[in-house]
Amino acid sequence: MAFTVFIPDFQRSFEAAGRPRLPALERMVARGVAVKAPAQAEFLAPLFGLEPSQLTLAPFMRLADGGGADGDYRLCAGFVHLAPDRDQLVLMPESLLEVSSDEIAALAAAFNALYGAEGWELELAREGRAYLRCPRLLEVVTHEPAVAAGQAVLDYMPTGPDAVRLKQLMNETQMLFHAHGVNSAREDAGRPLINSLWLWGGGVLPKADVVTAPQSIMSELPLVHGLALWAGRTPEPLGIPSDEQETLLALAATDPSALEKAWFAPLFAQLKSGKLKRLRLYLGGFGLLALDVGAARRFWRLPRPLAAP
């Protein structure tokens, strides 16, 4: 059985947690073969018979959130705060703002009332996520808010042939949100304003003509959940399967120590016992680790703290 574990933001969470010791993972790193991990799209796309350029965040995440399959171009949209810091603006992501669903709905309604006639539409989805339907396909390069958080905004603004129009839209949205009653109430309460939209991950859902995919897909990540649905697979509950089938497990790296307890230690035990034959660990920022039963039993290879290959 080939068991692939995909944790794209592992290094960022590991560093934020103070680089905790993770004994089982350290043993696997010492005993397996580690190489530099490819980019997220380059790793996931071939598992589903796609080219990396076809694997864009917004259309697949929207599919996971219950959106229909169509040919429209969409971007992920985050309600954020741009904070002045000396001579620049710094991004504070939505996750830190304690934004309510009522606030998002009110701001989205104001946006759609102003720009809907031009073909721009903010669509609200589950878990507070939102998507921007665009009037046409855009050629832009964007950055996720998790990457830009705490950084100078100008270094992460859209680039490419259509970047000027997208940046203009973002600037106009700042003015719209600044004057909105939602932010008047937040200002009175001493809370940071929701003063901008952050747009990223744009694309169009590919046609699902001839699709290959892992036999079993389990996911905490909307992107992989959406890929499963697009490929005609029903995402399964999280777990270590007992039968012989190709499995993809996608996990959120919110707590590395919790990952150690729930996944790394059990997987290592399964490998050593022979119940699990082969394992691949995609640890975003650190690398791609491959182990089999023989590698897991190399007890003479001593564990060592994690480091990028």
Side-chain angles (χ1 to χ4, degrees), residues 129-195:
R129 288 187 286 271
Y131 304 96
L132 177 64
R133 183 174 64 82
C134 305
R136 61 178 178 83
L137 188 148
L138 301 178
E139 293 185 53
V140 290
V141 177
T142 58
H143 301 275
E144 296 183 47
V147 175
Q151 308 297 320
V153 167
L154 286 179
D155 295 337
Y156 294 91
M157 291 296 286
T159 58
D162 291 311
V164 171
R165 178 65 188 105
L166 198 59
K167 287 189 285 188
Q168 179 185 8
L169 181 70
M170 294 168 71
N171 289 335
E172 291 173 359
T173 302
Q174 289 179 41
M175 292 184 283
L176 172 67
F177 285 2
H178 179 76
H180 197 281
V182 162
N183 279 315
S184 298
R186 290 180 69 94
E187 186 173 28
D188 290 342
R191 302 169 66 196
L193 305 187
I194 307 165
N195 60 9

Side-chain angles (χ1 to χ4, degrees), residues 19-249:
R19 302 180 63 88
R21 296 301 300 267
L22 307 173
L25 180 58
E26 291 174 10
R27 285 181 171 82
M28 287 194 285
V29 169
R31 300 180 190 187
V33 176
V35 297
K36 183 178 180 180
Q40 173 177 298
E42 292 174 352
F43 180 77
L44 278 181
L47 299 180
F48 292 87
L50 293 169
E51 295 296 326
S53 61
Q54 295 177 291
L55 204 163
T56 50
L57 293 177
F60 289 104
M61 289 177 61
R62 179 178 173 272
L63 196 62
D65 283 332
D70 58 32
D72 290 337
Y73 180 94
R74 287 178 174 82
L75 289 145
C76 298
F79 293 79
V80 302
H81 175 76
L82 301 183
D85 181 18
R86 285 174 283 189
D87 59 346
Q88 61 189 13
L89 292 174
V90 173
L91 176 69
M92 181 185 294
E94 186 175 333
S95 59
L96 300 179
L97 298 182
E98 298 181 353
V99 179
S100 72
S101 58
D102 288 342
E103 288 174 325
I104 288 178
L107 291 172
F111 178 94
N112 290 337
L114 186 60
Y115 293 104
E118 298 178 23
W120 305 93
E121 181 187 5
L122 272 176
E123 304 170 339
L124 304 185
R126 64 187 67 168
E127 304 296 333
R129 288 187 286 271
Y131 304 96
L132 177 64
R133 183 174 64 82
C134 305
R136 61 178 178 83
L137 188 148
L138 301 178
E139 293 185 53
V140 290
V141 177
T142 58
H143 301 275
E144 296 183 47
V147 175
Q151 308 297 320
V153 167
L154 286 179
D155 295 337
Y156 294 91
M157 291 296 286
T159 58
D162 291 311
V164 171
R165 178 65 188 105
L166 198 59
K167 287 189 285 188
Q168 179 185 8
L169 181 70
M170 294 168 71
N171 289 335
E172 291 173 359
T173 302
Q174 289 179 41
M175 292 184 283
L176 172 67
F177 285 2
H178 179 76
H180 197 281
V182 162
N183 279 315
S184 298
R186 290 180 69 94
E187 186 173 28
D188 290 342
R191 302 169 66 196
L193 305 187
I194 307 165
N195 60 9
S196 187
L197 273 181
W198 191 260
L199 304 171
W200 79 98
V204 176
L205 197 68
K207 292 183 179 179
D209 295 328
V210 179
V211 176
T212 62
Q215 294 169 287
S216 175
I217 302 171
M218 313 171 203
S219 178
E220 293 181 322
L221 306 178
L223 171 62
V224 178
H225 190 103
L227 276 164
L229 295 176
W230 174 82
R233 300 281 196 267
T234 300
E236 301 177 14
L238 300 185
I240 300 175
S242 56
D243 52 352
E244 295 288 329
Q245 60 181 352
E246 183 186 6
T247 300
L248 172 63
L249 170 66

Side-chain angles (χ1 to χ4, degrees), residues 292-309:
D292 57 17
V293 175
R297 293 172 177 169
R298 295 169 181 163
F299 63 87
W300 58 90
R301 292 194 175 181
L302 300 179
R304 55 182 183 272
L306 297 181

